[in-house]
Amino acid sequence: MRTPTKAAVVVATTAFLIPVFSSPAFAADDTPILLGTNTSAAAAADVLTDLAVAGGQVYSSYGDYDANTGPVDLNSLNVTTGALTKQLTLNSEELKALRVIDGKVYAADVDPKAAWTANVGYATNAGGSWTYNAATPFQHVFDIAKSGSEIFLAGSIVNPDPAAYGPTPDLAVIKKSSDGGKTWSITKARSSASGSSAYDRYYWLANVGGKIAAIAEVRDASGNTNRVLDVYSGGRWSTIDLGRLFSLAHRHEPTKYEVLGSRIILSDSNTTGYIDLNAKGKTGGVQMSNLPASFASRDITVHNGVVYSVGNWFAGTGIDMTKNVVFATRDGANWAQVATPAVIPATTYWDHNGEMIPDYGMYTSIAVDGATMYLGGDDAKVYKVSAPVVP
């Protein structure tokens, strides 16, 4: 599900009980400076769902595959001047996760505006210029990863061979290329044993020390959600039972995971934790973090051994958009609040019983590069501020 562009109601913050965290002093009044606007996202009235910094550019993603919009532009802003460059236009409804691999950027084509059996894939500048690789048939391509010379794509496809994969019409699949993205084959496929297969998908991929990990969102014959993590290593697939915390890995947003050492950090709304591939089958292999249920994570990023999460405080059934906060962790379990970036200035107002209330925006994506933290907003703008000190 997508984050709404604007929340319907903003309530007075005095009615909220905001948890207090023990953390070092930080500048609560830091005001992010506008770097620039993703004009394509602004024209579509979309939020910025992910940021990536590479080659002196800040890339941002947007779109709405629930609303069947598009095409979408892959735009970037110069980190110094804020000048916008349209790198590529994709005949797609949405871009989500932007992956920086070996200094190059990869963007999976979440919902191509093409037939479900057409060759589609991803955009990248790995070859020196921006190109689109119409790689192989997919319905949705949610994420991309590399391990050595092998490239992996995750998503869903129309079942190409019921004799090999069973009668279900759709499959959650991971495809692999060993020749630089020229030819592709299904390396892992799963499908539901009950109900519709229309939402059988692999939503994310994680490269953990050269191992590729993912979990398929499928159901067994009793309708129970899959609890097995698939891990590719040395040319073979194995599985890890995630136990009672299996739901931690079920994320519809590939932007909501990062890798920290041997740990896959996953965060979605008010649930955050990690899966440690080095502790599989042992106590501590799957853990929840200390982030409170009242914190709504919007996006996470990793930089120099630190994972950052930007979001807002939940308050009753709503969200206080005037309380943007950033948490950080060095181990995936213990997070500290490290910044409270000032809210995006209100440019519109709504009438609440005759009182005009400012319609504040919220930060929906984050990236950190060196001493600078970049924040993407639901106003399609990118802001920058000094990166916070992390304990």
Side-chain angles (χ1 to χ4, degrees):
M1 299 299 291
R2 287 189 34 85
T3 303
T5 301
K6 294 288 183 182
V9 177
V10 179
V11 189
T13 59
T14 55
F16 299 154
L17 296 177
I18 305 301
V20 177
F21 277 77
S22 176
S23 59
F26 54 84
D29 58 350
D30 273 356
T31 302
I33 299 170
L34 176 65
L35 177 65
T37 302
N38 184 329
T39 54
S40 303
D46 280 335
V47 307
L48 300 183
T49 50
D50 200 20
L51 301 179
V53 185
Q57 300 285 317
V58 182
Y59 296 84
S60 54
S61 60
Y62 73 99
D64 192 341
Y65 81 107
D66 288 332
N68 299 319
T69 55
V72 294
D73 297 323
L74 182 56
N75 293 335
S76 67
L77 299 170
N78 184 283
V79 297
T80 303
T81 66
L84 181 140
T85 301
K86 182 188 294 185
Q87 305 289 355
L88 196 67
T89 297
L90 285 75
N91 190 29
S92 177
E93 297 175 8
E94 183 172 2
L95 294 175
K96 282 186 181 290
L98 302 172
R99 303 301 184 197
V100 179
I101 304 172
D102 299 327
K104 302 300 182 180
V105 182
Y106 293 77
D109 193 347
V110 170
D111 198 350
K113 297 175 77 66
W116 282 356
T117 55
N119 285 344
V120 295
Y122 58 95
T124 183
N125 63 349
S129 61
W130 276 99
T131 58
Y132 181 83
N133 185 357
T136 179
F138 267 95
Q139 296 168 324
H140 299 281
V141 187
F142 285 102
D143 209 357
I144 185 169
K146 286 188 67 180
S147 178
S149 61
E150 295 180 319
I151 308 174
F152 299 81
L153 294 176
S156 61
I157 65 170
V158 174
N159 187 343
D161 188 355
Y165 300 107
T168 180
D170 311 286
L171 299 173
V173 300
I174 299 172
K175 291 189 178 184
K176 181 184 70 170
S177 174
S178 301
D179 57 9
K182 296 177 183 178
T183 60
W184 297 80
S185 61
I186 297 173
T187 182
K188 191 68 177 177
R190 290 188 180 275
S191 60
S192 290
S194 64
S196 170
S197 65
Y199 294 97
D200 286 359
R201 298 165 180 177
Y202 279 96
Y203 281 104
W204 53 266
L205 292 168
N207 183 331
V208 185
K211 299 177 181 179
I212 300 298
I215 186 168
E217 186 147 318
V218 295
R219 294 166 305 283
D220 64 18
S222 300
N224 299 313
T225 306
N226 176 39
R227 57 187 279 170
V228 172
L229 182 77
D230 294 314
V231 180
Y232 178 86
S233 179
R236 299 175 56 188
W237 288 93
S238 60
T239 59
I240 299 174
D241 191 328
L242 300 179
R244 64 182 181 84
L245 296 178
F246 72 95
S247 62
L248 181 65
H250 294 181
R251 296 292 179 264
H252 295 174
E253 304 290 347
T255 59
K256 295 294 184 69
Y257 95 80
E258 293 290 349
V259 175
L260 185 66
S262 63
R263 296 176 176 180
I264 305 169
I265 315 297
L266 299 117
S267 182
D268 189 15
S269 188
N270 59 340
T271 305
T272 301
Y274 69 78
I275 303 166
D276 192 334
L277 290 197
N278 284 353
K280 60 183 181 180
K282 302 175 183 177
T283 301
V286 183
Q287 291 289 330
M288 304 302 293
S289 79
N290 70 331
L291 279 175
S294 52
F295 174 68
S297 175
R298 299 296 171 195
D299 185 31
I300 62 174
T301 191
V302 64
H303 179 66
N304 286 345
V306 178
V307 179
Y308 301 82
S309 177
V310 65
N312 314 87
W313 292 116
F314 272 114
T317 58
I319 292 176
D320 181 5
M321 294 189 299
T322 68
K323 294 290 184 181
N324 288 282
V325 289
V326 176
F327 282 87
T329 181
R330 293 185 182 274
D331 62 9
N334 301 292
W335 295 72
Q337 185 176 331
V338 295
T340 55
V343 298
I344 299 171
T347 57
T348 60
Y349 296 79
W350 56 277
D351 190 337
H352 179 63
N353 297 327
E355 180 183 4
M356 299 306 293
I357 305 296
D359 191 5
Y360 290 105
M362 60 184 173
Y363 299 111
T364 54
S365 49
I366 184 172
V368 177
D369 184 56
T372 304
M373 180 168 66
Y374 298 91
L375 299 168
D378 67 350
D379 59 354
K381 290 179 169 57
V382 177
Y383 301 81
K384 63 179 183 179
V385 67
S386 296
V389 175
V390 178

